[in-house]
Amino acid sequence: FSDMHSERDYLRMFVFPQINDELKKYAISMRIIDLRWGINTMEQSQEATESKVMRVCFNEIDRSRPFFIGLLGCRYGWIPPSSSSYMLHGKRFEEESSITSMEIEYAILQEKGISGCLFMERDASCLDKMEDSVRERYDDSFSTNEKTRTENPQRLRLLKQRIKQHLHEKGKDYCYQQYCPTWNGKEFDSLSEFGEIVKRTMLHEIASIYSLDYNDEPFKEELNSQKQFLYLKLAKVYDRKAVTEGLVEKIRINKGVLVISGLSGTGKSCIYALLVSHFLQQQDKYVVLYHSTSVGMRS
């Protein structure tokens, strides 16, 4: 967490919103997981923080499959104290593995490896203008701890080599990229190249996994906006089963127009989404034309 704040913030504020805007055309909504958010780690050391969120990290990796973005710099990461190999989520890790290494090992360096992954490596040359006291936070080879200074750089080199080899074997060399930001004395800037690589590569991975055709058929964007509206409304539904079943029966036995009225906020849009979803599943019996106003550019 301590050496990648600039990149994480840049992704959150600039890159991910751009990716989401692009994906809206295909009725896909992306949700970002950054474990700096939502876990109370106030007044804790970095070691205590990483130990606390360790298992949460592994759970989120599972929830996020098949996607994973790894940010690599010149730090191997915190190594949890252990006298033997470390057991987590049913997988045994080598002694003195860092949390960063274990996350990557769990995410891609195994049989159920992630297909939509991307690794971004920060070029070490961007650290050259830092004072040694500052560089220690970003580079293990400048640590005042002798063991960290002498052993971690080699561990990090081996980890990067394993990642590259794994991606090469999968035919995904393009999923390991380098970038070189500028240190301005307080943080890293000039991250536009970094952001463009992430945006381009992740859109490519998402398009490959979901077989997006990128065509521009008339009203395709409008239809996808309607689909996304349905998806969001269905996600908010709690218990409308009885109401929906009654309306389905009325539609089945009646002809003409059925009007459903209700005060604002009583759940008409959710009922609409449930009905559309119900009849779309029976397209052998029904032709379903659905449209919600104020959704999409053409509404």
Side-chain angles (χ1 to χ4, degrees):
F1 291 154
S2 64
D3 63 333
M4 288 290 176
H5 280 303
S6 298
E7 284 86 347
R8 288 170 179 262
D9 289 342
Y10 191 83
L11 290 174
R12 177 176 59 85
M13 291 188 291
F14 301 106
V15 179
F16 291 148
Q18 293 176 23
I19 294 176
N20 242 334
D21 285 344
E22 183 69 23
L23 293 177
K24 285 179 181 178
K25 301 176 185 178
Y26 307 96
I28 294 175
S29 180
M30 181 175 67
R31 294 292 179 264
I32 309 307
I33 295 171
D34 183 334
L35 292 175
R36 295 178 300 172
W37 313 334
I39 300 175
N40 182 12
T41 56
M42 293 180 64
E43 299 179 1
Q44 292 186 356
S45 65
Q46 183 182 350
E47 288 80 5
T49 296
E50 297 203 44
S51 179
K52 181 176 181 179
V53 304
M54 185 165 53
R55 283 174 174 77
V56 178
C57 289
F58 281 68
N59 287 331
E60 296 305 329
I61 287 172
D62 282 334
R63 289 183 60 224
S64 300
R65 295 185 189 278
F67 300 108
F68 182 89
I69 298 178
L71 303 178
L72 298 167
C74 294
R75 294 188 63 215
Y76 182 60
W78 177 65
I79 300 174
S82 176
S83 58
S84 61
S85 57
Y86 202 89
M87 191 75 178
L88 189 63
H89 265 50
K91 180 173 177 58
R92 188 170 295 281
F93 298 93
E94 294 297 323
E95 186 176 355
E96 297 192 331
S97 293
S98 69
I99 299 301
T100 300
S101 176
M102 286 192 283
E103 286 177 335
I104 293 170
E105 177 82 24
Y106 186 74
I108 74 159
L109 301 179
Q110 55 178 326
E111 287 302 317
K112 56 178 180 178
I114 288 179
S115 53
C117 65
L118 171 63
F119 287 89
M120 298 296 296
E121 180 186 4
R122 183 198 286 151
D123 192 320
S125 65
C126 69
L127 309 179
D128 290 343
K129 295 183 179 180
M130 288 182 176
E131 297 179 1
D132 290 356
S133 59
V134 176
R135 187 161 180 171
E136 180 184 2
R137 300 204 305 268
Y138 296 89
D139 190 341
D140 282 341
S141 61
F142 280 74
S143 175
T144 54
N145 182 292
E146 182 179 356
K147 186 175 182 180
T148 298
R149 186 174 64 252
T150 57
E151 297 181 8
N152 279 15
Q154 176 62 13
R155 293 191 180 107
L156 182 59
R157 281 193 294 272
L158 291 174
L159 175 62
K160 291 176 179 178
Q161 288 173 8
R162 289 189 64 208
I163 296 169
K164 291 177 183 178
Q165 180 62 30
H166 178 83
L167 293 175
H168 178 72
E169 291 171 356
K170 300 293 184 182
K172 298 175 75 70
D173 297 88
Y174 65 89
C175 288
Y176 193 103
Q177 301 277 348
Q178 285 188 317
Y179 67 101
C180 190
T182 301
W183 177 253
N184 64 17
K186 294 179 59 179
E187 60 184 5
F188 290 103
D189 55 24
S190 302
L191 287 165
S192 57
E193 177 193 15
F194 162 82
E196 189 58 35
I197 293 172
V198 173
K199 176 184 175 182
R200 182 176 65 247
T201 307
M202 291 311 297
L203 281 173
H204 176 272
E205 293 297 284
I206 293 167
S208 298
I209 290 169
Y210 290 103
S211 301
L212 303 184
D213 53 13
Y214 284 109
N215 61 25
D216 191 24
E217 299 171 7
F219 295 99
K220 182 177 179 65
E221 185 174 348
E222 171 69 18
L223 180 58
N224 283 329
S225 296
Q226 297 290 334
K227 288 179 179 178
Q228 186 176 47
F229 179 77
L230 282 178
Y231 173 81
L232 293 173
K233 289 300 176 182
L234 286 171
K236 295 180 179 180
V237 172
Y238 294 101
D239 185 13
R240 298 284 193 274
K241 184 178 179 181
V243 176
T244 307
E245 288 178 348
L247 290 172
V248 167
E249 183 64 16
K250 286 182 181 292
I251 292 171
R252 191 180 67 80
I253 64 177
N254 287 281
K255 295 181 179 180
V257 177
L258 173 66
V259 178
I260 303 170
S261 64
L263 296 175
S264 177
T266 54
K268 297 186 300 298
S269 293
C270 291
I271 292 292
Y272 157 78
L274 283 167
L275 290 172
V276 172
S277 177
H278 173 84
F279 286 107
L280 283 176
Q281 295 174 34
Q282 303 180 56
Q283 293 190 65
D284 57 328
K285 297 180 180 179
Y286 303 99
V287 174
V288 185
L289 306 178
Y290 62 96
H291 186 273
S292 178
T293 57
S294 302
V295 175
M297 295 296 293
R298 299 175 184 270
S299 294

